[in-house]
Amino acid sequence: MKRTVLSLFILLLIPLCSLAQGNLPLLQVPILDLLQYQVQKGKRTIAPFLFSKYGFRRIPTELVNDDARQLWGWHVGPNGEFNQEKQPFYRLFAKKDNSSIAIIDDRGGALQVVFWNKEYYHVFISGLQLHGYRLQPMKHTSNILRFQREGSSVIVDVTVWSDIYVLELHN
């Protein structure tokens, strides 16, 4: 009996140990939750979304003098080279490890998910496709991939840079 309980306990710890080593992304935010949240924001019928249920920590906005946005982060720190006058706002963050992810919630507009791990990119794109979102052809080449679903008011743009990804949901 003791041996069985101990074996079960060890088996439960193996995934946690591999996550702690940074081999796999630790945090998974369901794309469906993000899509539903953005739709509700567009209808102005939402209570404040608690990204904390996914392990995010709220980042005080007074650090960046911006009351229109709520900032949330998981294993992110400040980007010491950030220049608000020359760089987009999502460059405010710097990753601490491969599981790093941040959210910029413009309460009156877009929701941006900032991440550095290509595995997150694949998870988000797979989730979008699973829920009927399709890549739209763009007239000119760019680093922005647009996903839309027929009958949905939410458009998802994924900006791909060599060092960072930004998933933006907007109505």
Side-chain angles (χ1 to χ4, degrees):
M1 178 69 178
K2 287 183 182 180
R3 184 173 252 169
T4 305
V5 171
L6 181 61
S7 298
L8 182 60
F9 181 72
I10 291 172
L11 286 174
L12 290 173
L13 286 179
I14 290 173
L16 293 175
C17 292
S18 67
L19 290 174
Q21 294 173 359
N23 294 334
L24 301 170
L26 181 59
L27 188 66
Q28 295 295 331
V29 182
I31 190 69
L32 185 59
D33 286 359
L34 295 173
L35 291 165
Q36 289 173 341
Y37 176 67
Q38 187 63 28
V39 167
Q40 291 173 344
K41 270 183 24 181
K43 294 178 180 177
R44 310 240 190 270
T45 60
I46 60 164
F49 189 80
L50 300 177
F51 290 103
S52 60
K53 85 178 196 180
Y54 297 109
F56 286 94
R57 303 271 172 153
R58 185 127 187 232
I59 300 169
T61 55
E62 57 269 8
L63 297 175
V64 291
N65 296 324
D66 190 342
D67 293 332
R69 297 177 178 127
Q70 289 186 2
L71 307 177
W72 298 84
W74 171 265
H75 288 209
V76 294
N79 178 358
E81 299 172 7
F82 176 67
N83 182 341
Q84 191 168 359
E85 294 176 11
K86 294 182 180 179
Q87 294 176 306
F89 194 75
Y90 57 79
R91 292 282 182 179
L92 169 75
F93 304 103
K95 75 175 188 169
K96 289 188 177 178
D97 59 35
N98 278 339
S99 69
S100 297
I101 190 168
I103 293 183
I104 302 169
D105 185 9
D106 181 340
R107 299 298 289 168
L111 178 72
Q112 292 181 319
V113 181
V114 182
F115 52 98
W116 295 260
N117 190 328
K118 194 170 187 172
E119 289 182 52
Y120 282 141
Y121 169 81
H122 290 297
V123 168
F124 285 131
I125 297 305
S126 296
L128 286 169
Q129 292 171 338
L130 181 68
H131 294 291
Y133 278 78
R134 300 290 171 242
L135 181 62
Q136 301 301 306
M138 299 296 274
K139 292 183 181 180
H140 53 68
T141 38
S142 83
N143 60 334
I144 299 175
L145 305 172
R146 172 157 288 172
F147 291 85
Q148 287 182 285
R149 186 179 93 184
E150 192 173 319
S152 176
S153 64
V154 178
I155 297 169
V156 180
D157 290 335
V158 181
T159 305
V160 179
W161 295 102
S162 62
D163 62 336
I164 195 170
Y165 298 87
V166 181
L167 179 100
E168 182 174 331
L169 296 90
H170 52 93
N171 296 18

